[in-house]
Amino acid sequence: MDILNKAKTGKKERPIKVVQFGEGNFLRGFVDYMIDIANEQGKFDGDIVLIKPIEFGNLDMFHKQDCQYTVSLRGNVNGEAKIINRIVTSVADAVDTYNEYDKYMGLAEIDTLRFVVSNTTEAGIVYDDTDKFESEPPKTFPGKLTKFLYHRFETFKGDMSKGLVMLPVELIDDNGIMLKKCVMQLIELWGLGVEFKKWVDEACVFTSTLVDRIITGYPRATEKEEWEKLGYEDHIMVTGEPFALWVIESAKDISKEFPLPDAGLPVIFTDNQKPYKQRKVRILNGAHTSFVLASYLCGNDIVRQSMHDDDIRNFMLKTIYDEVIPTLSLPEEELKQFAGEVVNRFDNPYVDHALLAISLTQSVLCIVPHFVVIMIFYLVLRISQGQDTSVIGNTEILVGIEDQIYYIGELGLDLLRCYEQMGIILAEMSASLDTLQGSAGFETEVMGDLTDTDRQILVGVLCVSVDHHVVRAVHG
């Protein structure tokens, strides 16, 4: 059987408009998929170069397949279970920042380049004052991006029309704002000059984004069957659900430059993404939280089964429509439409989302906010009693009890932000766990060993999170 490559797809070469830090399944099944459709419809006309930003791993299979791959979307479409396969040809090349450093930096010299997409995980957008400009490349993603932007600034002699638009999809709040903050700090640390700093501030755009699509990854357990159906070998294919949403918040209007909605794609440009995040967290995650443990006690094991249990389904719908939607600020019809899509996603016949995986996520999260509160009060008590405060680090530079309490409050807020991101990360881990369960017999080998008593004990432990998370999901 032939392997998928450019000879098979007949790829049309287009100008490079996008560099993408990250070659993982999500970006390829979401961003690159959308750009491919926009290219096909004549709305974008641009190719992508993938950048591998970490040392481990290789790009051998990407090169073997000329970066051509299949996206297989599986789920309910207009009331019917469907599998929609598409060969994505929007990726022109893949470059390793460590083993192909000169080639990587050369991408900054491309005249047509305009967009930088990134997904370097939640830990990727971080300022590290030990990062070095002279490293090839710098070790952090913001370090790599800063040096990349500086090379472009120098190449085009500060031309204000050669700035880039950053589209980070890392799952942290205000991802674009945080990324720009890191870049600006590195400019100061490395002494790159006021002119470059002004160019980054005025010529470049840092958007903040919200993304939503379940990507189930490579179908390793059934790859041979998949190849037979496709008629070719594809070692980097991606599977996911049909639903998608990309909300892009930007101070500058980039909709004309990045006209994905004109291709019928679910992309929203806005100056405030927060109402959309609230909608997603409260309706989707809130719905999960409302029924997961009750459904498990009723004998269901996965989300889809819950949707076919009338008592559970009706309870969930009442929670969404009577309790959650009235708390949200977006137009009611939009909220109801999104709620209908959520229910449709829960009933996806191709995704076995385990209730226990969701419950595990909630249990871990239940511990964190209480830990934060206890730690803050403990530290305040130590200060008020004049005890050693070295546990919080560097407090000797703070003068006076008010300053110290303020500093501790800031630490607490940082921890609360970590708590929120942990929820997002664990949700992604849960989705990955679902894939593991389906592909490696995990549920049969591990969960099947639980006795009825074990199950009851586990549910008892998990129940401690219910009240806290229902309130949080509904009232935010």
Side-chain angles (χ1 to χ4, degrees), residues 300 303-313 346-347:
N300 301 313
V303 170
R304 185 173 63 255
Q305 290 173 330
S306 307
M307 295 301 97
H308 295 270
D309 184 318
D310 289 342
D311 291 333
I312 299 299
R313 183 185 177 96
F346 286 175
D347 198 26

Side-chain angles (χ1 to χ4, degrees), residues 1 218-229 233:
M1 185 180 297
Y218 182 74
R220 193 168 305 281
T222 59
E223 64 178 6
K224 296 294 196 316
E225 293 90 333
E226 301 290 346
W227 296 347
E228 287 295 330
K229 293 174 185 176
E233 287 187 21

